Amino acid sequence: MGEPRVRRVKPVAASEARWWLWLRITGLLMVLVLFPHVIVKDVLVGVYRIDLEYVAQVWANPLMRVFDFALLFLTFTHGMVGLRQVLQDFIHTPSGRRAMTWVLFVVWAVVSLMGAVAIIGGVKLT
Amino acid sequence: MKVTLKVFRYNPENGGQPRYDVFHLDVDPNDRVLDLLEMVKGYHDGSLSYRRSCAHGICGSDAMRINGRNRLACKTLVKDLGDTIVVEPILGLPVLKDLIVDMEPFFQAYRKVMPWFINNDPPPEKERLQTPEERARFDDTTKCILCAACTTSCPVFWADGSYFGPAAIVNAHRFIFDSRDQAAEERLAILAQEEGVWRCRTSFNCTEACPREIQITKAIAEVKRAILTGDLS
């Protein structure tokens, strides 16, 4: 019979596949930013010592702003995509699901924008 | 040994109120739950309704919820359950009477994945040959007996009955990874839809419930990978 035949088909381009993949990608990348964040903020620094002055000091380094935005983007995106999957259990009509996805998108965009504005604007100590 | 058997009862012609009937039975520890049901039907209450056919774990007729878990009544021994046994219909499908559910939504999803062999090449003189390795690729998913224990243990299916469910995906897997079959692409396109494999949240309920010990969650993951990469090896 010889070597087993290599069987390949064209990958299916489906929107649900992209949602699913995006959830996995953000989940994996999230680990890279979440663990350093938790170790530094909760273990090494301690949440009770985090105040505006501390944030201003951290954000003096632009790289830390990029890091914090990545943290916000990845965790919030991951959460909203996951929430969409959970809500699909309860919303069964195509129009209901479309509306739900748009509502989640708007919430995601507004909160992400607020976070971006805060991170870019930085802390102004008076 | 003496056991207390609590059986879910529902008769739509009789007011439609579900209830539990309790039977105190003297049984052998090696009796199966199906034997207990036969005992009740034969000697206590002939109106008790349930499906059974081969009674040897092959036909898949008598899947039911036994002490909260989906099992085949004909493969579940009394000695493994203790002295109180609760028998209820499988979840997520409409109950018709007592332990009998309407299996049509389950078979509708099954039919959608085209669970039959498709090869448009003219048949060879003898059989379509396959190496032992190629046959082993989908061996696990050939074991399905369509009892619905997996699909009706799936929390996604409970919430959304239009989800294809583990059994349909398992039966699609059986043909997708068969080197002699030529319709993998069509089946993958069907399973890539909104109610297809992406609804699976890997809760592993299906794998635990399968009386044939099929690695169902693994099979679903393999179908997901095939959709994304096109790799069927």
Side-chain angles (χ1 to χ4, degrees):
Chain A
M1 296 280 305
E3 289 290 304
R5 281 162 281 180
V6 177
R7 293 181 69 232
R8 286 201 77 85
V9 291
K10 230 174 77 189
V12 186
S15 63
E16 281 307 309
R18 284 190 282 272
W19 282 106
W20 182 88
L21 201 59
W22 188 232
L23 196 66
R24 267 71 199 166
I25 291 169
T26 52
L28 280 174
L29 292 177
M30 211 168 71
V31 175
L32 298 178
V33 289
L34 206 57
F35 272 98
H37 171 80
V38 169
I39 288 165
V40 171
K41 298 290 188 317
D42 291 342
V43 180
L44 299 178
V45 178
V47 281
Y48 298 110
R49 284 171 53 201
I50 295 175
D51 52 16
L52 269 184
E53 207 174 318
Y54 172 82
V55 176
Q57 200 185 330
V58 170
W59 281 359
N61 181 352
L63 277 180
M64 284 312 295
R65 294 193 189 203
V66 174
F67 180 88
D68 278 358
F69 186 73
L71 181 70
L72 169 73
F73 176 78
L74 290 171
T75 50
F76 195 53
T77 306
H78 184 79
M80 292 304 260
V81 174
L83 187 60
R84 175 184 172 273
Q85 201 187 22
V86 172
L87 289 175
Q88 279 181 326
D89 283 355
F90 305 99
I91 302 168
H92 299 151
T93 60
S95 58
R97 283 183 174 174
R98 245 194 325 273
M100 176 265 290
T101 304
W102 274 106
V103 168
L104 290 180
F105 175 75
V106 170
V107 172
W108 171 83
V110 169
V111 173
S112 299
L113 195 68
M114 282 163 62
V117 167
I119 291 170
I120 293 166
V123 178
K124 289 180 180 60
L125 292 171
T126 49
Chain B
M1 75 186 269
K2 290 193 187 310
V3 296
T4 304
L5 180 70
K6 269 179 80 175
V7 187
F8 177 92
R9 302 301 303 273
Y10 171 71
N11 184 355
E13 292 167 2
N14 196 12
Q17 283 302 314
R19 64 174 199 277
Y20 285 85
D21 280 355
V22 180
F23 302 94
H24 301 283
L25 305 172
D26 202 1
V27 301
D28 188 283
N30 289 318
D31 276 345
R32 306 158 306 165
V33 173
L34 182 63
D35 298 322
L36 272 56
L37 295 174
E38 302 276 53
M39 200 182 284
V40 168
K41 192 172 175 68
Y43 299 104
H44 297 267
D45 184 347
S47 70
L48 177 65
S49 303
Y50 51 88
R51 284 196 182 101
R52 56 93 77 200
S53 186
C54 79
H56 287 81
I58 293 300
C59 72
S61 307
D62 62 351
M64 45 191 82
R65 207 150 36 105
I66 301 169
N67 283 3
R69 282 184 57 187
N70 281 4
R71 316 171 204 236
L72 295 183
C74 61
K75 278 185 83 175
T76 308
L77 301 183
V78 171
K79 67 180 177 188
D80 296 329
L81 295 170
D83 52 12
T84 304
I85 300 167
V86 184
V87 182
E88 296 159 303
I90 43 180
L91 288 173
L93 294 169
V95 178
L96 296 176
K97 188 173 187 288
D98 297 340
L99 302 171
I100 297 178
V101 297
D102 179 8
M103 295 283 280
E104 189 43 34
F106 171 81
F107 284 116
Q108 231 169 24
Y110 171 65
R111 285 190 293 267
K112 274 187 197 162
V113 302
M114 304 190 293
W116 52 81
F117 182 71
I118 298 173
N119 186 326
N120 295 321
D121 291 345
E125 205 176 310
K126 288 185 182 169
E127 70 265 45
R128 296 177 197 274
L129 292 174
Q130 189 169 48
T131 65
E133 290 76 22
E134 285 171 340
R135 174 62 180 75
R137 180 66 190 86
F138 60 95
D139 186 64
D140 198 36
T141 45
T142 61
K143 297 188 296 190
C144 178
I145 54 173
L146 293 170
C147 67
C150 59
T151 295
T152 59
S153 73
C154 172
V156 178
F157 182 77
W158 294 337
D160 178 9
S162 48
Y163 167 44
F164 279 56
I169 301 169
V170 158
N171 283 280
H173 179 285
R174 182 254 170 271
F175 290 101
I176 289 168
F177 291 93
D178 185 337
S179 59
R180 302 161 300 180
D181 189 271
Q182 293 178 338
E185 214 163 318
E186 285 96 309
R187 291 196 189 90
L188 291 176
I190 292 165
L191 290 173
Q193 293 168 7
E194 204 169 359
E195 298 299 348
V197 285
W198 312 112
R199 303 301 316 281
C200 167
R201 291 200 209 126
T202 59
S203 70
F204 280 87
N205 277 18
C206 53
T207 306
E208 280 181 28
C210 180
R212 307 282 292 164
E213 293 171 2
I214 300 172
Q215 298 299 305
I216 302 176
T217 315
K218 185 180 171 208
I220 297 174
E222 286 174 352
V223 173
K224 284 176 182 170
R225 197 169 52 214
I227 290 172
L228 290 172
T229 65
D231 186 4
L232 303 179
S233 51

